[in-house]
Amino acid sequence: MTSQRLQNTFFLSLLVLTTIAFFGLIQDLLLPIFWATVLATLFYPVFGSCERTFGGRAALAALMTIMVILLLVVLPVLLTGFAVGSEVFGLYEQIAAGKVDPQVVVEWIERNAPTAVEALSQVGLDLDQLRSQLSGATVAATRYLATEALAFGQNALRLAGLTLLMIYLLFFFLRDGAALVDVIVQAVPIQEDRQERLLKKFAEVARATIKGTLVIGLVQGMIGGVLFWLLDIEGAVLWGVVMGLLSLLPAVGAAVIWIPAATLLLATGALLKGIVLLFGGTLLIGLADNVLRPLLVGRDTQMPDYLILLTTLGGLTLFGLSGVVIGPVVAALFLAVWAMFAEEYAGADFAELLASAPDDAASSPPAP
């Protein structure tokens, strides 16, 4: 008995150590693995359709699905990244050369709103000081963006390598996805119904996050970029991407960009452009979330806005842009695991409360 216990202890220790070593070995490659898993989950229905079309030839179906992903996802992202980098450098050069002056807003306030000037002076804000701070903040912001764009260009080879690795893994995840899931189900020491529940939750939240967050962000960013382009605002692609990224965060949104832009247009005398941007931002950008989200995301996959915000910000901090998806997925798995624990160890009432919390929060009216 002692010998058997010693063997089991040694084997479990070896299992833990080799697992830690393995994940330490591939830790820099976890993001490509994650995105290959997410894309395989999201496009698996497309793969199934291609497989039926090609008479069960899984390899050919996987290749065709990857071609669809390249055309719909990878290529647009690369082209947008190059366009944003070009516009960031152009905007930085114009500000450095004095062609773009952010102080026009302060000058407009000084000319047309003396009451606001008096109010600012009463709280200790001097317009000259405000001009200096605004100019310095603008230059610092554009310099930061230019530095980031330069770093992106310098890391282009590494990013290309990681993208190729993701595509390579994606082929096998699509072709052998069902077999891989069966291996995981058999290997992980958890009851089969719990494994299926966790895998289902991962698929639900990954699809919901992609469709309900990234797609809505893409639509809002595209609408904002097109509005900026039609109104001949400098850096339309850049600001469209920024609006799309900000729309991923609950309680923030693209309005952080288009409202100040409309205010700037009104302040500089471009009344028609400012009014058009205000109406376009309110009617098109502002309503896109309310119209698209109920169509793209089911209520059973939603989480409370505060939890989405916390996990999205935490994901962005740890994983960069990939954290927009990783954060909500981790939160959903966290809730699912605790719901399972509550069902078995904490009583059915608590389990029902925990499991229904996201739905209740999602269906509750918004705070005034």
Side-chain angles (χ1 to χ4, degrees), residues 275-357:
I275 293 173
V276 169
L277 185 55
L278 282 175
F279 276 95
T282 303
L283 298 178
L284 299 177
I285 302 176
L287 294 179
D289 183 79
N290 296 329
V291 173
L292 292 177
R293 191 173 294 276
L295 298 176
L296 296 176
V297 186
R299 284 180 55 188
D300 57 337
T301 59
Q302 290 183 357
M303 289 183 290
D305 284 344
Y306 67 86
L307 186 58
I308 296 177
L309 178 61
L310 289 175
T311 55
T312 301
L313 291 175
L316 287 170
T317 301
L318 290 176
F319 305 105
L321 289 178
S322 298
V324 171
V325 177
I326 296 177
V329 167
V330 171
L333 295 178
F334 168 80
L335 292 177
V337 171
W338 271 96
M340 292 178 189
F341 172 80
E343 288 172 1
E344 185 160 345
Y345 298 104
D349 294 337
F350 181 76
E352 292 175 2
L353 177 63
L354 182 61
S356 63

XYZ file of all heavy atoms in Angstrom, residues 275-357:
610
model
N -22.834 69.856 -37.240
C -24.213 69.384 -37.065
C -24.389 68.003 -37.687
O -25.021 67.109 -37.102
C -25.196 70.396 -37.678
C -25.166 71.705 -36.870
C -26.608 69.829 -37.698
C -25.970 72.826 -37.485
N -23.811 67.812 -38.886
C -23.905 66.508 -39.545
C -23.252 65.425 -38.683
O -23.793 64.322 -38.525
C -23.244 66.560 -40.941
C -23.091 65.151 -41.521
C -24.064 67.426 -41.880
N -22.094 65.725 -38.092
C -21.414 64.736 -37.252
C -22.211 64.445 -35.987
O -22.285 63.285 -35.539
C -20.010 65.233 -36.900
C -19.129 64.256 -36.118
C -19.007 62.927 -36.846
C -17.741 64.848 -35.895
N -22.829 65.466 -35.405
C -23.645 65.246 -34.217
C -24.833 64.338 -34.522
O -25.106 63.376 -33.797
C -24.141 66.584 -33.660
C -23.138 67.405 -32.843
C -23.739 68.751 -32.465
C -22.731 66.648 -31.585
N -25.541 64.636 -35.612
C -26.696 63.819 -35.967
C -26.251 62.413 -36.398
O -26.881 61.413 -36.032
C -27.501 64.488 -37.075
C -28.480 65.507 -36.573
C -28.148 66.849 -36.531
C -29.727 65.118 -36.114
C -29.044 67.791 -36.052
C -30.636 66.053 -35.638
C -30.292 67.392 -35.601
N -25.179 62.336 -37.197
C -24.692 61.032 -37.638
C -24.212 60.181 -36.482
O -24.482 58.970 -36.422
N -23.494 60.797 -35.541
C -23.018 60.051 -34.383
C -24.153 59.560 -33.510
O -24.138 58.426 -33.027
N -25.173 60.419 -33.326
C -26.299 60.034 -32.473
C -27.171 58.977 -33.130
O -27.530 57.972 -32.493
C -27.151 61.275 -32.144
O -26.327 62.260 -31.512
C -28.289 60.901 -31.212
N -27.517 59.175 -34.404
C -28.467 58.291 -35.069
C -27.837 57.004 -35.581
O -28.475 55.951 -35.552
C -29.136 59.030 -36.241
C -29.967 60.257 -35.853
C -30.532 60.931 -37.100
C -31.104 59.873 -34.913
N -26.587 57.077 -36.068
C -25.960 55.910 -36.678
C -25.050 55.172 -35.703
O -25.249 53.992 -35.414
C -25.179 56.330 -37.922
C -26.015 56.970 -39.044
C -25.116 57.397 -40.196
C -27.088 56.015 -39.532
N -24.043 55.883 -35.173
C -23.094 55.232 -34.260
C -23.774 54.864 -32.941
O -23.631 53.741 -32.437
C -21.883 56.144 -34.002
C -21.178 56.499 -35.310
C -20.904 55.466 -33.053
C -20.028 57.469 -35.149
N -24.534 55.813 -32.393
C -25.137 55.585 -31.087
C -26.173 54.480 -31.063
O -26.304 53.752 -30.082
N -26.927 54.326 -32.163
C -27.983 53.328 -32.199
C -27.516 51.970 -32.703
O -28.282 50.999 -32.629
C -29.138 53.825 -33.078
C -29.905 55.042 -32.549
C -31.002 55.430 -33.527
C -30.500 54.772 -31.177
N -26.285 51.893 -33.236
C -25.807 50.614 -33.779
C -25.788 49.528 -32.703
O -26.184 48.387 -32.951
C -24.411 50.787 -34.375
N -25.347 49.888 -31.500
C -25.288 48.904 -30.419
C -26.685 48.420 -30.045
O -26.920 47.220 -29.870
C -24.592 49.512 -29.206
C -24.442 48.511 -28.074
O -23.531 47.683 -28.152
O -25.247 48.564 -27.136
N -27.641 49.362 -29.927
C -28.991 48.989 -29.514
C -29.708 48.141 -30.555
O -30.561 47.311 -30.214
C -29.814 50.253 -29.228
C -29.265 51.049 -28.059
O -28.704 50.482 -27.142
N -29.398 52.360 -28.112
N -29.368 48.338 -31.834
C -30.030 47.589 -32.897
C -29.369 46.239 -33.112
O -30.046 45.210 -33.269
C -30.028 48.405 -34.208
C -30.559 47.568 -35.370
C -30.867 49.666 -34.040
N -28.027 46.214 -33.112
C -27.318 45.000 -33.482
C -27.185 44.005 -32.346
O -27.233 42.793 -32.576
C -25.914 45.357 -34.001
C -25.860 46.096 -35.337
C -24.419 46.449 -35.682
C -26.473 45.253 -36.446
N -26.987 44.484 -31.122
C -26.707 43.553 -30.025
C -27.830 42.542 -29.802
O -27.561 41.348 -29.624
C -26.392 44.318 -28.732
C -25.831 43.437 -27.632
C -25.391 44.273 -26.442
N -24.282 45.130 -26.772
C -23.015 44.752 -26.759
N -22.708 43.504 -26.452
N -22.063 45.603 -27.060
N -29.122 42.955 -29.791
C -30.164 41.931 -29.612
C -30.198 40.916 -30.749
O -30.623 39.772 -30.540
C -31.459 42.762 -29.581
C -31.021 44.127 -29.182
C -29.669 44.309 -29.801
N -29.758 41.316 -31.955
C -29.769 40.395 -33.081
C -28.594 39.426 -33.046
O -28.702 38.286 -33.502
C -29.731 41.182 -34.402
C -30.916 42.120 -34.661
C -30.693 42.902 -35.948
C -32.215 41.324 -34.743
N -27.452 39.879 -32.529
C -26.233 39.083 -32.599
C -25.967 38.269 -31.349
O -25.252 37.272 -31.387
C -25.028 39.999 -32.862
C -25.029 40.736 -34.209
C -23.841 41.679 -34.294
C -25.010 39.761 -35.361
N -26.500 38.689 -30.208
C -26.186 38.031 -28.937
C -27.472 37.603 -28.256
O -28.381 38.395 -28.082
C -25.398 38.977 -28.000
C -24.949 38.221 -26.762
C -24.231 39.582 -28.725
N -27.535 36.340 -27.866
C -28.689 35.862 -27.105
C -28.589 36.292 -25.657
O -27.495 36.439 -25.106
N -29.722 36.471 -25.001
C -29.708 36.909 -23.605
C -29.047 35.887 -22.689
O -28.478 36.229 -21.662
C -31.139 37.146 -23.127
C -31.757 38.432 -23.638
C -33.160 38.588 -23.111
N -33.164 38.503 -21.649
C -34.275 38.446 -20.927
N -35.442 38.435 -21.511
N -34.207 38.375 -19.609
N -29.113 34.613 -23.083
C -28.545 33.589 -22.199
C -27.032 33.611 -22.174
O -26.422 32.951 -21.349
C -29.019 32.202 -22.635
C -28.674 31.895 -24.083
O -28.477 32.849 -24.850
O -28.604 30.708 -24.429
N -26.370 34.359 -23.071
C -24.915 34.409 -23.077
C -24.390 35.731 -22.540
O -23.181 35.932 -22.501
C -24.371 34.220 -24.501
O -24.891 35.249 -25.345
C -24.765 32.857 -25.049
N -25.249 36.642 -22.145
C -24.806 37.944 -21.664
C -24.378 37.863 -20.208
O -24.797 36.983 -19.459
C -25.908 38.985 -21.824
C -26.170 39.359 -23.278
C -27.212 40.451 -23.396
O -27.773 40.880 -22.384
N -27.472 40.894 -24.604
N -23.557 38.848 -19.830
C -23.152 39.003 -18.444
C -23.442 40.434 -18.040
O -23.641 41.294 -18.902
C -21.655 38.688 -18.293
C -21.315 37.228 -18.453
S -19.552 36.904 -18.176
C -18.829 37.686 -19.618
N -23.450 40.731 -16.758
C -23.686 42.113 -16.324
C -22.645 43.057 -16.926
O -21.481 42.690 -17.103
C -23.541 42.026 -14.798
C -23.784 40.599 -14.467
C -23.294 39.797 -15.631
N -23.078 44.282 -17.213
C -22.175 45.247 -17.841
C -20.927 45.506 -16.988
O -19.827 45.664 -17.511
C -22.912 46.574 -18.085
C -23.865 46.476 -19.275
O -23.722 45.523 -20.062
O -24.751 47.343 -19.398
N -21.125 45.568 -15.654
C -19.970 45.844 -14.800
C -18.946 44.721 -14.876
O -17.735 44.959 -14.839
C -20.404 46.091 -13.348
C -20.970 44.879 -12.648
C -20.135 43.969 -12.000
C -22.333 44.643 -12.631
C -20.644 42.863 -11.362
C -22.851 43.535 -11.996
C -22.014 42.650 -11.358
O -22.527 41.550 -10.729
N -19.418 43.467 -14.991
C -18.496 42.339 -15.075
C -17.781 42.330 -16.429
O -16.583 42.027 -16.511
C -19.256 41.034 -14.856
C -18.402 39.765 -14.764
C -17.392 39.886 -13.631
C -19.285 38.540 -14.559
N -18.511 42.652 -17.488
C -17.884 42.746 -18.806
C -16.815 43.829 -18.810
O -15.710 43.639 -19.330
C -18.947 43.032 -19.885
C -19.924 41.862 -19.995
C -18.287 43.287 -21.236
C -21.053 42.093 -20.975
N -17.129 44.988 -18.212
C -16.156 46.088 -18.165
C -14.912 45.676 -17.388
O -13.778 45.880 -17.852
C -16.798 47.324 -17.537
C -15.886 48.539 -17.368
C -15.375 49.016 -18.720
C -16.607 49.667 -16.643
N -15.093 45.084 -16.205
C -13.949 44.699 -15.378
C -13.077 43.662 -16.083
O -11.842 43.785 -16.117
C -14.444 44.138 -14.037
C -15.062 45.137 -13.052
C -15.602 44.406 -11.832
C -14.035 46.183 -12.632
N -13.712 42.637 -16.646
C -12.923 41.578 -17.268
C -12.299 42.024 -18.582
O -11.213 41.561 -18.933
C -13.805 40.337 -17.501
O -14.961 40.698 -18.274
C -14.261 39.759 -16.188
N -12.964 42.914 -19.310
C -12.374 43.440 -20.545
C -11.153 44.291 -20.236
O -10.102 44.154 -20.886
C -13.404 44.261 -21.330
O -14.534 43.437 -21.642
C -12.801 44.773 -22.632
N -11.267 45.176 -19.242
C -10.123 46.005 -18.863
C -8.984 45.138 -18.329
O -7.808 45.363 -18.656
C -10.538 47.035 -17.816
C -11.482 48.146 -18.294
C -11.903 49.024 -17.125
C -10.820 48.990 -19.375
N -9.325 44.145 -17.507
C -8.289 43.241 -17.002
C -7.639 42.451 -18.123
O -6.418 42.265 -18.138
N -8.439 41.997 -19.081
C -7.881 41.280 -20.225
C -6.981 42.153 -21.074
O -5.916 41.710 -21.519
N -7.392 43.406 -21.288
C -6.551 44.336 -22.052
C -5.219 44.572 -21.346
O -4.170 44.666 -21.989
C -7.283 45.665 -22.249
C -8.439 45.668 -23.256
C -9.216 46.972 -23.166
C -7.891 45.485 -24.677
N -5.259 44.674 -20.011
C -4.029 44.912 -19.254
C -3.062 43.732 -19.374
O -1.851 43.923 -19.533
C -4.373 45.156 -17.772
O -5.249 46.274 -17.667
C -3.111 45.434 -16.972
N -3.593 42.515 -19.316
C -2.731 41.331 -19.307
C -2.354 40.851 -20.709
O -1.229 40.412 -20.934
C -3.414 40.193 -18.549
C -3.555 40.369 -17.034
C -4.343 39.219 -16.446
C -2.185 40.466 -16.375
N -3.294 40.923 -21.654
C -3.096 40.272 -22.949
C -3.174 41.216 -24.141
O -3.128 40.763 -25.289
C -4.142 39.162 -23.142
C -4.165 38.153 -22.042
C -5.171 38.156 -21.086
C -3.173 37.186 -21.943
C -5.201 37.225 -20.065
C -3.188 36.247 -20.930
C -4.203 36.273 -19.984
N -3.315 42.527 -23.903
C -3.454 43.441 -25.028
C -4.838 43.310 -25.651
O -5.819 42.998 -24.977
N -4.931 43.534 -26.968
C -6.219 43.508 -27.644
C -6.892 42.143 -27.555
O -8.122 42.045 -27.574
C -6.055 43.914 -29.112
C -5.742 45.392 -29.366
C -5.561 45.649 -30.854
C -6.851 46.280 -28.811
N -6.105 41.079 -27.457
C -6.696 39.749 -27.326
C -7.510 39.619 -26.047
O -8.418 38.785 -25.960
C -5.603 38.678 -27.345
O -4.898 38.688 -28.564
N -7.208 40.447 -25.049
C -7.939 40.396 -23.791
C -9.395 40.782 -23.918
O -10.195 40.481 -23.026
N -9.778 41.453 -25.022
C -11.181 41.791 -25.249
C -12.026 40.527 -25.302
O -13.185 40.510 -24.873
C -11.326 42.612 -26.555
C -12.776 42.796 -26.927
C -10.648 43.964 -26.396
N -11.463 39.439 -25.822
C -12.161 38.154 -25.878
C -11.789 37.284 -24.677
O -12.656 36.642 -24.075
C -11.838 37.415 -27.194
C -12.501 36.045 -27.213
C -12.287 38.242 -28.388
N -10.496 37.274 -24.321
C -10.046 36.399 -23.227
C -10.728 36.764 -21.917
O -11.163 35.879 -21.164
C -8.514 36.477 -23.076
C -7.830 35.950 -24.339
C -8.061 35.672 -21.863
C -6.320 36.070 -24.305
N -10.848 38.051 -21.612
C -11.444 38.482 -20.348
C -12.856 37.963 -20.141
O -13.141 37.298 -19.136
N -13.806 38.247 -21.060
C -15.167 37.724 -20.878
C -15.235 36.200 -20.865
O -16.067 35.622 -20.147
C -15.924 38.300 -22.086
C -15.183 39.540 -22.440
C -13.741 39.227 -22.162
N -14.382 35.518 -21.646
C -14.393 34.052 -21.647
C -13.989 33.519 -20.272
O -14.624 32.609 -19.729
C -13.459 33.500 -22.740
C -13.221 32.013 -22.547
C -14.051 33.747 -24.129
N -12.931 34.088 -19.695
C -12.499 33.663 -18.361
C -13.591 33.932 -17.335
O -13.869 33.096 -16.457
C -11.193 34.387 -17.973
C -10.841 34.121 -16.507
C -10.051 33.938 -18.868
N -14.253 35.092 -17.451
C -15.332 35.413 -16.509
C -16.487 34.433 -16.635
O -17.055 33.994 -15.625
C -15.824 36.836 -16.759
N -16.838 34.068 -17.868
C -17.935 33.128 -18.069
C -17.596 31.749 -17.506
O -18.440 31.099 -16.863
C -18.269 33.021 -19.552
N -16.366 31.293 -17.733
C -15.945 30.005 -17.173
C -15.906 30.059 -15.651
O -16.247 29.090 -14.967
C -14.584 29.610 -17.737
C -14.546 29.326 -19.243
C -13.124 28.998 -19.685
C -15.486 28.192 -19.607
N -15.482 31.199 -15.107
C -15.476 31.395 -13.656
C -16.883 31.237 -13.086
O -17.103 30.518 -12.091
C -14.912 32.785 -13.343
C -15.104 33.235 -11.918
C -14.264 32.789 -10.913
C -16.126 34.112 -11.585
C -14.443 33.198 -9.603
C -16.316 34.530 -10.285
C -15.465 34.073 -9.283
N -17.866 31.891 -13.714
C -19.242 31.783 -13.246
C -19.770 30.354 -13.395
O -20.485 29.850 -12.521
C -20.136 32.752 -14.025
C -19.902 34.243 -13.770
C -20.812 35.077 -14.666
C -20.145 34.591 -12.304
N -19.416 29.713 -14.515
C -19.901 28.349 -14.743
C -19.337 27.385 -13.711
O -20.067 26.538 -13.171
C -19.526 27.899 -16.153
N -18.044 27.491 -13.410
C -17.424 26.593 -12.434
C -18.013 26.809 -11.041
O -18.314 25.854 -10.319
C -15.892 26.794 -12.431
C -15.261 26.037 -11.271
C -15.289 26.315 -13.749
N -18.212 28.082 -10.669
C -18.780 28.345 -9.344
C -20.239 27.912 -9.271
O -20.715 27.497 -8.205
C -18.643 29.833 -8.998
C -17.334 30.110 -8.321
C -16.183 30.556 -8.887
C -17.047 29.905 -6.937
N -15.188 30.653 -7.945
C -15.686 30.268 -6.731
C -17.797 29.467 -5.848
C -15.082 30.193 -5.492
C -17.182 29.399 -4.608
C -15.836 29.760 -4.441
N -20.948 27.999 -10.390
C -22.322 27.512 -10.396
C -22.347 25.998 -10.183
O -23.194 25.466 -9.446
C -23.005 27.878 -11.713
N -21.406 25.291 -10.820
C -21.306 23.841 -10.618
C -20.982 23.517 -9.158
O -21.564 22.606 -8.549
C -20.215 23.255 -11.524
C -20.528 23.301 -12.989
S -19.135 22.635 -13.946
C -19.648 23.067 -15.604
N -20.037 24.264 -8.598
C -19.664 24.042 -7.202
C -20.859 24.286 -6.277
O -21.129 23.511 -5.344
C -18.511 24.975 -6.823
C -18.178 24.969 -5.354
C -17.401 23.968 -4.800
C -18.654 25.975 -4.533
C -17.113 23.959 -3.445
C -18.371 25.978 -3.171
C -17.591 24.960 -2.627
N -21.604 25.375 -6.568
C -22.737 25.704 -5.711
C -23.825 24.654 -5.799
O -24.487 24.338 -4.798
C -23.288 27.077 -6.102
N -24.037 24.110 -6.991
C -25.065 23.096 -7.171
C -24.794 21.865 -6.304
O -25.715 21.246 -5.770
C -25.152 22.680 -8.643
C -25.763 23.749 -9.528
C -25.659 23.377 -10.993
O -25.119 22.285 -11.293
O -26.107 24.162 -11.836
N -23.516 21.516 -6.155
C -23.184 20.277 -5.458
C -22.903 20.481 -3.976
O -23.242 19.628 -3.152
C -21.963 19.627 -6.114
C -21.623 18.271 -5.520
C -20.756 17.440 -6.449
O -20.667 17.778 -7.636
O -20.179 16.450 -5.964
N -22.305 21.640 -3.618
C -21.824 21.792 -2.242
C -22.516 22.904 -1.459
O -22.426 22.931 -0.247
C -20.320 22.077 -2.252
C -19.508 20.965 -2.860
C -18.985 21.103 -4.133
C -19.281 19.776 -2.177
C -18.240 20.091 -4.723
C -18.547 18.758 -2.750
C -18.026 18.912 -4.026
O -17.303 17.907 -4.598
N -23.154 23.853 -2.152
C -23.704 25.004 -1.430
C -25.223 25.056 -1.466
O -25.807 26.024 -1.004
C -23.127 26.299 -2.000
N -25.858 24.081 -2.052
C -27.313 24.074 -2.074
C -27.872 24.602 -3.365
O -27.288 25.465 -4.025
N -29.036 24.119 -3.737
C -29.640 24.465 -5.020
C -30.025 25.928 -5.090
O -29.944 26.550 -6.137
C -30.859 23.580 -5.273
N -30.484 26.520 -3.966
C -30.935 27.906 -4.015
C -29.808 28.840 -4.410
O -29.960 29.714 -5.256
C -31.505 28.321 -2.650
C -32.781 27.554 -2.315
O -33.419 27.075 -3.275
O -33.115 27.454 -1.125
N -28.656 28.654 -3.762
C -27.519 29.499 -4.096
C -27.067 29.274 -5.530
O -26.668 30.201 -6.225
C -26.371 29.231 -3.121
C -25.153 30.070 -3.369
C -25.126 31.396 -3.000
C -24.040 29.533 -3.999
C -23.996 32.170 -3.240
C -22.926 30.298 -4.240
C -22.906 31.617 -3.850
N -27.094 28.023 -5.980
C -26.690 27.713 -7.348
C -27.593 28.415 -8.356
O -27.130 28.979 -9.349
C -26.730 26.199 -7.581
N -28.912 28.397 -8.115
C -29.824 29.066 -9.025
C -29.586 30.570 -9.036
O -29.640 31.220 -10.078
C -31.262 28.761 -8.615
C -31.657 27.293 -8.824
C -33.051 27.003 -8.290
O -33.685 27.960 -7.797
O -33.476 25.842 -8.374
N -29.318 31.135 -7.860
C -29.044 32.564 -7.779
C -27.794 32.925 -8.560
O -27.773 33.888 -9.333
C -28.890 32.985 -6.308
C -28.521 34.464 -6.063
C -29.627 35.366 -6.580
C -28.277 34.702 -4.584
N -26.727 32.152 -8.404
C -25.471 32.422 -9.095
C -25.618 32.256 -10.601
O -25.140 33.062 -11.380
C -24.377 31.497 -8.569
C -22.967 31.689 -9.152
C -22.461 33.084 -8.843
C -22.022 30.642 -8.590
N -26.326 31.186 -11.008
C -26.484 30.927 -12.434
C -27.365 31.961 -13.101
O -27.182 32.282 -14.278
C -27.060 29.527 -12.644
N -28.338 32.516 -12.386
C -29.270 33.456 -12.999
C -28.830 34.898 -12.870
O -29.453 35.774 -13.458
C -30.657 33.311 -12.354
O -30.604 33.655 -10.979
N -27.740 35.167 -12.147
C -27.318 36.560 -11.939
C -27.051 37.304 -13.231
O -27.516 38.418 -13.416
C -26.095 36.605 -11.018
